[in-house]
Amino acid sequence: MFTSPPFNPGDLIGALTACRDRTLALFADLTPEEFYQQLHPDFSPLGWHLGHIGFTERLWILEYLAAMDLPPDPRRQLWAADGLPKAQRQQLPDFATVCQGLREVRSQVFAYLEQAQNLEQLPLWCWLLQHESQHNETIAFLKQYHRGLPVAPRCDPLPPPDLGMVAIPGGKVMIGNDSPWGQDNEQPRYGVEVKGFWCDRFPVTHGEYQAFIAAGGYHDRQYWTDQGWQWRSQNQITQPLYWQPDSPWQYHPVCGVSHYEAAAYARFVGKRLPTEIEWETAASYTGTNTLTYPWGEAEPTANHGNFDGNLGQTTPVNAYPFGQSSSGCWDLLGNVWEWTASPFAPYPGFQPYPYRGYSQAYFDGQHYVMRGGSWATRPWGLRNSLRNWYHPWVREIFVGFRCAHS
């Protein structure tokens, strides 16, 4: 995976091709219903995501970067993120037609790339790869939301994890990512003084969360915020969305929880959610410097964590000893995203890229930051500094959490 200049068109073509192969593989077993219809009222049909990927590549590479004089796109309103409302995106061309459009755009993109020399635009290519990867993950979780969970884990049994907390040292920690991979909301990189704290060694497991359910935590007002209790009551929530009570899942991370549920559990056990700065400190800070990945600077492999759809589901939280951080935290990248206590907000000196609405529209105090990635996250979107964000009631995504203590 290319990570920095010098600009190598061959490496970029390889990455774009690998990402597209993964995208198309997600559609190999799709039914017509799954392709055309909304599987959830808050998300677009899966077929729309495929067309939007091609539209975005055409817009930013062929129209913006290459400044090609192209005929108007007759489906611009359909494919644009700010076009039709999600509920009106179900009148789609068939799969073969959408794929033909993807191939036509990609052919022109590669022809341009083979003669391109502009190193300054590497961040745009990195952004484009991550954009497609993000839509891959949306497709993956909507498929699972619609189809339901697998019946049993497929991994070999492991000894029980050593559940508990580890001490995270304080200090001057560098937050963010100024490389071409860094999204606008990760930049500019800046230093912040972090006080030492305690952090869960692992994400909260099914077995741990079962205690909250068994103790009546979903019916005990004292653990919930006002907004969380209202949400729980109105929607009659009594367990996580992707709940697996069976013993084979005991040491898998709890998955499909809202921010409200995560915060309620943390109060139940006398802890709290970590701030996103604390989370990044636990993942990257060695006491003297910060790392791109919990284990160092080596690019992610299948030995480091559960990501890239390799297994198609979660694994026990202690399945990847080579993925732990220097502080002793496991399972930070992959398996499930992790809620933090932090509203999504700009870093000091933030500048929007590649367009104003990409991140800035969500700096509204109503979205909360998630960190870490899930089993469906592509490698191009996997690093300690990456920020994801959703409303606190959203739980269709592959998201769990770990707790902290001052």
Side-chain angles (χ1 to χ4, degrees):
M1 188 164 64
F2 65 96
T3 55
S4 62
F7 185 66
N8 186 326
D11 289 345
L12 182 51
I13 287 173
L16 289 165
T17 300
C19 188
R20 182 58 50 82
D21 289 345
R22 287 163 165 84
T23 300
L24 294 176
L26 289 168
F27 287 83
D29 63 346
L30 233 59
T31 65
E33 176 193 7
E34 291 171 328
F35 185 83
Y36 291 106
Q37 297 180 18
Q38 270 190 298
L39 304 182
H40 187 282
D42 292 341
F43 298 95
S44 301
L46 301 191
W48 180 87
H49 291 275
L50 190 62
H52 173 72
I53 287 168
F55 167 82
T56 302
E57 191 166 304
R58 182 187 197 266
L59 174 66
W60 286 104
I61 302 304
L62 302 184
E63 296 182 24
Y64 171 76
L65 190 58
M68 292 184 181
D69 185 16
L70 300 173
D73 184 345
R75 295 192 175 100
R76 177 178 288 266
Q77 186 180 23
L78 171 61
W79 299 134
D82 59 354
L84 297 176
K86 292 182 175 65
Q88 297 178 25
R89 295 173 178 176
Q90 300 179 75
Q91 301 302 314
L92 300 169
D94 61 33
F95 177 70
T97 300
V98 176
C99 288
Q100 177 61 28
L102 288 176
R103 287 192 294 270
E104 291 172 357
V105 169
R106 181 53 61 87
S107 176
Q108 292 176 287
V109 166
F110 280 2
Y112 168 74
L113 183 57
E114 287 171 353
Q115 52 84 38
Q117 300 290 328
N118 190 353
L119 304 185
E120 296 178 359
Q121 295 300 334
L122 185 55
L124 185 59
W125 294 100
C126 294
W127 176 85
L128 189 73
L129 266 168
Q130 293 178 86
H131 172 267
E132 183 163 343
S133 297
Q134 290 160 0
H135 283 276
N136 272 216
E137 184 149 0
T138 302
I139 294 163
F141 72 66
L142 285 173
K143 285 175 70 174
Q144 179 159 299
Y145 171 81
H146 180 67
R147 296 177 178 184
L149 290 170
V151 294
R154 296 187 300 182
C155 58
D156 295 330
L158 294 168
D162 180 17
L163 300 173
M165 305 191 84
V166 296
I168 309 298
K172 181 69 172 289
V173 181
M174 296 303 297
I175 299 296
N177 190 317
D178 279 339
S179 81
W181 288 103
Q183 303 277 3
D184 63 355
N185 59 73
E186 294 173 71
Q187 298 179 0
R189 198 164 184 251
Y190 72 104
V192 60
E193 285 290 341
V194 178
K195 294 182 179 179
F197 63 100
W198 292 87
C199 185
D200 282 353
R201 180 178 283 110
F202 300 102
V204 172
T205 65
H206 274 82
E208 291 176 295
Y209 200 88
Q210 176 65 56
F212 176 64
I213 296 176
Y218 275 92
H219 305 283
D220 195 331
R221 174 68 181 80
Q222 67 174 313
Y223 302 124
W224 298 79
T225 63
D226 292 343
Q227 296 89 344
W229 184 251
Q230 181 180 23
W231 168 83
R232 188 219 65 79
S233 301
Q234 288 179 346
N235 295 283
Q236 300 183 335
I237 303 297
T238 59
Q239 64 184 32
L241 180 61
Y242 302 129
W243 181 241
Q244 297 276 26
D246 299 332
S247 58
W249 299 90
Q250 180 178 4
Y251 299 121
H252 287 234
V254 66
C255 183
V257 292
S258 67
H259 190 274
Y260 299 137
E261 291 166 284
Y265 172 89
R267 292 188 188 93
F268 170 72
V269 295
K271 303 177 185 178
R272 58 175 174 81
L273 295 180
T275 67
E276 66 165 321
I277 289 176
E278 287 176 330
W279 192 99
E280 190 167 334
T281 299
S284 64
Y285 188 52
T286 67
T288 56
N289 66 325
T290 54
L291 304 172
T292 302
Y293 307 105
W295 53 87
E297 298 303 317
E299 292 174 357
T301 71
N303 291 324
H304 291 119
N306 178 18
F307 63 94
D308 204 17
N310 290 333
L311 299 176
Q313 62 183 51
T314 60
T315 55
V317 295
N318 61 336
Y320 296 95
F322 294 111
Q324 64 180 303
S325 69
S326 64
S327 61
C329 290
W330 293 51
D331 227 25
L332 288 156
L333 296 188
N335 226 2
V336 293
W337 289 95
E338 299 181 19
W339 285 112
T340 74
S342 301
F344 186 50
Y347 288 170
F350 167 84
Q351 295 292 326
Y353 183 87
Y355 60 95
R356 184 169 297 275
Y358 177 68
S359 297
Q360 192 165 332
Y362 303 96
F363 296 149
D364 56 7
Q366 299 179 32
H367 293 74
Y368 281 81
V369 175
M370 307 184 308
R371 292 299 194 103
S374 78
W375 62 258
T377 302
R378 300 305 186 197
W380 303 284
L382 207 67
R383 55 184 174 273
N384 293 338
S385 59
L386 189 126
R387 309 167 79 195
N388 196 356
W389 62 93
Y390 273 97
H391 282 115
W393 57 81
V394 174
R395 59 186 197 147
E396 291 74 25
I397 47 185
F398 301 132
V399 60
F401 62 101
R402 73 181 70 215
C403 298
H405 197 288
S406 300

